[in-house]
Amino acid sequence: MAVKARETLESKQISFTTLGIIMVVVVGYTLLYNQFANTLEDYRLKTIVGVISLVIMMGGFLISLRYITTAYEMVVTHDRLIIDRKIFFWKKTVLEVKTDDIKKILPIEEAKKVDGQMRNYTLTNMDGKRKYVIQYEEQGKICCVKIQCTGKFHETLKKQVKI
């Protein structure tokens, strides 16, 4: 299984604007919680509200951390396209398609709705990495996957698929 092309798509660093918005939300949430907790006199109710607030904050933090640290590793071999999703040190193969099953590789602007499953393995807009739609056949249905890659990776994939 010779690797013809390999590309890693990593999310870019968080911008100062996004960081500022997150800080405003955290400070505002903390102030609102503090105002609400000060109005309560029952200790048990204060504890319950505190635990619920902590769970909400931790959940929001973990969800945002997941989206910030997601990376996709794409590999084209002589007969397969393999996409792995990495979150921190967890790695999972999310797509493995034989190149013989791939029907079309289109820019995202030219894509049409398909009857099978639609998957999205793209991140925010990045310089030099366009978004493409790969249509492939799986169990008799035409399925679709959105990827984001450089022109070199796209050309190598097209050569392997022979479109």
Side-chain angles (χ1 to χ4, degrees), residues 103-104 106 111-119 133-137 141-145:
K103 304 298 180 196
K104 293 181 186 176
L106 305 167
K112 298 198 174 31
K113 189 170 171 96
V114 295
D115 57 346
Q117 187 176 17
M118 175 74 155
R119 297 177 179 161
V133 172
I134 299 174
Q135 293 179 351
Y136 62 96
E137 189 172 345
K141 290 187 176 182
I142 300 295
C143 298
C144 191
V145 63

Side-chain angles (χ1 to χ4, degrees), residues 45-63:
L45 188 57
K46 274 187 180 183
T47 304
I48 291 171
V49 169
V51 169
I52 290 172
S53 296
L54 181 64
V55 167
I56 290 171
M57 289 293 282
M58 293 289 290
F61 174 72
L62 291 176
I63 289 171

